Amino acid sequence: MASTSTEQTIEIGELGSMTLREPATFWVTDRAYEPSELPLDQFRPLTSDQINRGITKEAHWVRVRLSNADAEQPQHWVLHHETSYLDEMAVYFSDNGAPLEKVLLSDRQPFAERLLNYRTLAFPHTTPADGYTDLFLRLQYTKPDAMSLNVFLSRADHFHSQSRGEYLIYGGYYGLLAALIIIAGTFSLIMRQGVYLWYATFLLASILMWALLNGFAFQYLWPNSVFWHNEGFHIVFLAVAITALQFSRLFLQTRYCCPRIDKVILAAQGIMVAGIVLRFAGFYTPVLYLSFASLALLALLPILGAIAYRNGMRYARWYTVAWSLYGLGLLISVFSAGTSLFAWGMAPLAYAQAFSALEAVFLLVALGERLIDWDRDRLQALKIANQDPLTGLGNRRALNAAFDRVKAIPRSSELSVFLIMIDLDNFKAINDHYGHDAGDRILTRLGNLLLQLSRPQDICIRYGGEEFAILLEAPGPEQVRLMTDRIRKEFSDTPTDYEGHRIEHTLTAGIAMAPSAGRRFDPDALIRQADAALYQAKNAGRNRVVFQMSEPEPPEGQD
C-alpha cells in the first residue's frame, strides 16, 4: 500500500481554512494508476507556481497527510475543489495506517448523489483525536479542459459558515442581474427598441454562464441533467459572445458608423453559431478552443466603443468603460484557465464576475445616456421643425402646437386668450428699393423686438413673409392693446441702419379675443377675427392697432 511520510504532513489541530500547498506533493500521468502503483519518489512539492495546468485530461495526483495533534477532540473537515466543472475527484483516504478507502466524486452523476449539497465536488471526513489521515487525490477530466490544482481544506464548521456567506454574496450578484433584466425587458416593451431586448438577452446568457461556472446551474437549474452541466459550458460561452456582439452592433450602430467592422462581427457571429451546432453534433475539442477564443474576442470591444465615441456617439464612453473592465477580466481568465503561464488558479474568474456586475450597471447607464441623447436630438429636431430659421421665432407649426395646448387646458374666467396678427407696412417697396438682405435685417429686428416686449410665456410666431403673430393670455383686452401699441411705436420710432441707409418702417396689428370660458375654442375662427382686425387697420391707414372681438360662439356641445 502506498503511504505518506511525515514529510508530507499538515497539522490540522488548529485548522480554519487553507489551500493545499507544500508539504503536499503532486504528480501528473496519462496512465491509469491505483495508489499502490504510484511512483512516490516522482511526486513534486505542490507550490503556487504549479496550480494552473492548462487544458488537459491527464490525471493529477495530490498526496498529503493530515495530522490531528489534539489528543481529545477529533477534527471534522471538508475538502473541496476550486471549480465546478472538474469531472472527477477520486479521494483515497486512510486513518492511522488502515487500508485505503475510495470515494469517487464526479459531476457525471446527478447532483443529489453528492456527499455534500455544495456547488463544487466536496469530501467531508473526520480525523481521529491524536491521529492522522493519509490522502491521495486524483483530479481528472474525461475530456480536455482547464485544470486547476487548487483544493481547499476547511474545518467543517468553517466550511458551512463560509458557504452561507458566499451563497449570500452570489445571491446578491444574481439578484442584481435579474433586476437589470427586468428593467431592460420593461424598456424593450415600452420603447419598442431591440437594443434593450439584446441587452437583457446578453445578461441572461451571462447569468447562465456564471451559474455554470459557479456550480449553481447544476445545483438548482438542472440537477439531474449531467449533459447540460458538462456539455453546456461551451454552448453558453458562445451564446454570451454572440449576444454581446449583437447588443454592441445595435447599441453602437456599427452598420452605419463602421460597416467593415460590422461585417467582421457578423462573420464572427456566424462562426460562433456554427460552433454551437458542432457541439450538439458531438464535436468537443475545436468548440472548446472556439468558445475560449470567443470570450477573449470580447476584450476588443472597448476599441469598438472608442471608435464609436470618436464618431460622435457620446454615450459610447460608458460602453467603453464597461467593456474595458469586463473584457480585461475575461481575457485574463481565459489565459489563466487555458495555459499554465499564471499561478492564479481560477481567482481571475472571481474578479471577472465582479467586473461583470459593474459592466451590467455601466451598460445600463450607457443605454440611459443614449436615450437622453436621442431625446435631446428629437427635441432639437422638433425645435428646428417649429422654428423660423431667419428670426428664431416659432413658425406656423409651432402656432398650431400652441393652439392644441390651449384647447387641451381648461381655461378659467380670469384670463382670456388673445391673438395678435402683425404685418409690416409697404414691405415689398423696402425689398425692391434696398434689397432682400435689408428686408431680412428688418424682419430679424422685428423678431427680436417681439421677444423683448412680450412675456416669456407668450408665443411669438413668424406667420409667413412679413406677417407675424403673438398668442397670449391676459386678464383683458386693454393690457394686450397697450403691449401691441408699444411694439408698434418702438418699431416705428427706431429705423434700421443698413449699409449707410436709415430705413424707416412701420407695422400694423389686429387683435382678436377668443370666447370666454365655457365656450368652444376655435383656432380658425380666432385667426379669421385677427386677420379681419388687421385688414381693418390697414384700410384705416396703416401704422395702427385695431381690436376686434371674436364672433359669438355657442356653448360647447351646441351647434
Side-chain angles (χ1 to χ4, degrees):
M1 180 187 74
S3 63
T4 302
S5 71
T6 56
E7 295 177 357
Q8 285 81 44
T9 298
I10 296 178
E11 174 57 48
I12 61 170
E14 300 296 330
L15 178 65
S17 295
M18 63 177 296
T19 308
L20 289 187
R21 291 289 189 272
E22 187 178 7
T25 58
F26 80 104
W27 182 63
V28 182
T29 179
D30 57 0
R31 291 178 52 191
Y33 283 94
E34 290 298 320
S36 59
E37 304 170 323
L38 294 175
L40 300 184
D41 58 334
Q42 295 183 25
F43 276 66
R44 294 180 290 160
L46 179 57
T47 63
S48 296
D49 294 338
Q50 306 295 334
I51 294 303
N52 286 85
R53 308 304 301 171
I55 297 176
T56 178
K57 70 171 185 176
E58 292 180 312
H60 288 68
W61 287 86
V62 176
R63 168 191 176 208
V64 68
R65 171 175 288 182
L66 304 180
S67 176
N68 179 16
D70 192 323
E72 297 181 358
Q73 295 295 329
Q75 185 65 266
H76 307 283
W77 48 264
V78 176
L79 200 69
H80 67 96
H81 191 259
E82 178 178 34
T83 66
S84 66
Y85 48 87
L86 180 66
D87 285 344
E88 289 185 359
M89 184 168 76
V91 183
Y92 299 86
F93 62 97
S94 167
D95 293 326
N96 297 334
L100 286 174
E101 300 179 54
K102 176 184 177 181
V103 172
L104 179 62
L105 305 173
S106 173
D107 68 357
R108 299 284 171 172
Q109 301 168 343
F111 190 87
E113 297 183 15
R114 295 192 174 185
L115 296 178
L116 287 177
N117 183 25
Y118 187 64
R119 58 191 185 87
T120 70
L121 298 178
F123 172 72
H125 189 64
T126 299
T127 298
D130 196 23
Y132 63 89
T133 300
D134 286 327
L135 283 176
F136 290 87
L137 308 178
R138 189 186 73 236
L139 312 177
Q140 192 168 14
Y141 290 103
T142 56
K143 297 176 182 178
D145 213 326
M147 173 63 75
S148 165
L149 295 186
N150 265 339
V151 180
F152 301 103
L153 177 67
S154 304
R155 199 172 68 221
D157 58 342
H158 273 234
F159 170 80
H160 294 296
S161 176
Q162 290 176 345
S163 297
R164 287 191 294 270
E166 70 181 29
Y167 274 56
L168 183 63
I169 293 172
Y170 281 124
Y173 169 82
Y174 290 111
L176 171 63
L177 263 61
L180 295 178
I181 288 176
I182 293 173
I183 293 172
T186 303
F187 269 87
S188 175
L189 292 174
I190 295 175
M191 304 298 297
R192 305 282 182 178
Q193 292 187 14
V195 66
Y196 291 96
L197 181 60
W198 279 107
Y199 170 71
T201 306
F202 164 65
L203 291 186
L204 180 60
S206 297
I207 283 180
L208 286 177
M209 180 182 78
W210 290 110
L212 277 164
L213 290 169
N214 298 147
F216 295 121
F218 196 29
Q219 185 174 9
Y220 297 114
L221 300 182
W222 44 74
N224 296 315
S225 178
V226 173
F227 170 83
W228 269 107
H229 177 64
N230 286 276
E231 314 301 332
F233 279 94
H234 308 128
I235 294 172
V236 173
F237 289 173
L238 291 171
V240 167
I242 291 169
T243 54
L245 292 175
Q246 185 63 20
F247 165 75
S248 300
R249 289 186 65 240
L250 296 178
F251 181 76
L252 300 177
Q253 304 178 68
T254 56
R255 182 179 176 184
Y256 306 104
C257 80
C258 35
R260 292 183 179 178
I261 296 178
D262 185 70
K263 291 179 180 179
V264 173
I265 293 175
L266 284 172
Q269 288 178 300
I271 294 172
M272 294 171 193
V273 171
I276 293 176
V277 174
L278 288 174
R279 190 68 196 89
F280 278 113
F283 292 88
Y284 179 82
T285 303
V287 179
L288 178 147
Y289 285 104
L290 176 62
S291 66
F292 278 28
S294 299
L295 291 180
L297 177 66
L298 300 184
L300 299 178
L301 290 181
I303 299 175
L304 186 61
I307 293 173
Y309 182 77
R310 286 202 303 270
N311 286 342
M313 299 181 190
R314 293 191 318 118
Y315 53 82
R317 57 187 175 178
W318 288 108
Y319 172 95
T320 305
V321 171
W323 276 108
S324 295
L325 295 172
Y326 189 34
L328 180 61
L330 285 176
L331 185 65
I332 294 175
S333 297
V334 167
F335 276 98
S336 179
T339 69
S340 58
L341 298 178
F342 305 104
W344 302 328
M346 295 297 110
L349 277 177
Y351 292 109
Q353 187 168 1
F355 285 144
S356 73
L358 289 175
E359 184 223 27
V361 173
F362 285 156
L363 287 181
L364 187 63
V365 172
L367 283 167
E369 187 173 30
R370 178 178 185 263
L371 184 61
I372 292 172
D373 280 2
W374 279 17
D375 190 57
R376 185 186 298 116
D377 292 343
R378 181 187 64 82
L379 291 176
Q380 181 64 24
L382 187 62
K383 179 180 178 182
I384 292 173
N386 292 343
Q387 189 178 61
D388 172 56
L390 176 64
T391 63
L393 302 179
N395 55 20
R396 285 198 183 191
R397 189 194 302 266
L399 181 61
N400 290 334
F403 278 140
D404 290 340
R405 291 195 297 272
V406 171
K407 289 171 65 176
I409 300 175
R411 290 178 289 119
S412 68
S413 58
E414 298 178 358
L415 295 176
S416 298
V417 177
F418 295 86
L419 179 65
I420 306 170
M421 297 296 291
I422 299 172
D423 188 75
L424 273 73
D425 299 327
N426 302 312
F427 187 68
K428 183 177 183 302
I430 292 176
N431 273 337
D432 292 342
H433 186 75
Y434 296 103
H436 287 280
D437 288 343
D440 288 348
R441 177 77 63 84
I442 294 171
L443 292 173
T444 303
R445 171 82 185 287
L446 178 56
N448 292 334
L449 187 63
L450 295 182
L451 292 175
Q452 292 171 11
L453 299 182
S454 63
R455 301 168 302 177
Q457 65 267 32
D458 300 337
I459 309 299
C460 298
I461 299 295
R462 183 185 177 192
Y463 197 70
E466 69 272 23
E467 198 168 7
F468 293 77
I470 303 176
L471 182 66
L472 71 158
E473 289 185 298
E478 189 59 30
Q479 293 91 332
V480 180
R481 187 195 299 273
L482 289 174
M483 184 188 80
T484 309
D485 202 56
R486 182 183 176 191
I487 293 172
R488 180 198 64 77
K489 190 173 187 307
E490 182 76 18
F491 187 67
S492 63
D493 289 350
T494 53
T496 298
D497 294 325
Y498 177 76
E499 294 185 352
H501 300 284
R502 190 169 179 80
I503 305 174
E504 304 280 347
H505 41 59
T506 60
L507 62 82
T508 301
I511 306 172
M513 184 174 74
S516 59
R519 293 183 174 272
R520 181 166 58 88
F521 177 76
D522 186 347
D524 293 333
L526 189 63
I527 292 174
R528 287 196 303 269
Q529 293 303 313
D531 275 337
L534 175 64
Y535 291 134
Q536 184 180 341
K538 289 278 189 182
N539 292 333
R542 297 186 175 88
N543 192 22
R544 66 193 61 224
V545 176
V546 169
F547 174 81
Q548 179 171 326
M549 289 286 294
S550 297
E551 297 173 342
E553 295 287 343
E556 190 171 355
Q558 300 183 16
D559 293 333

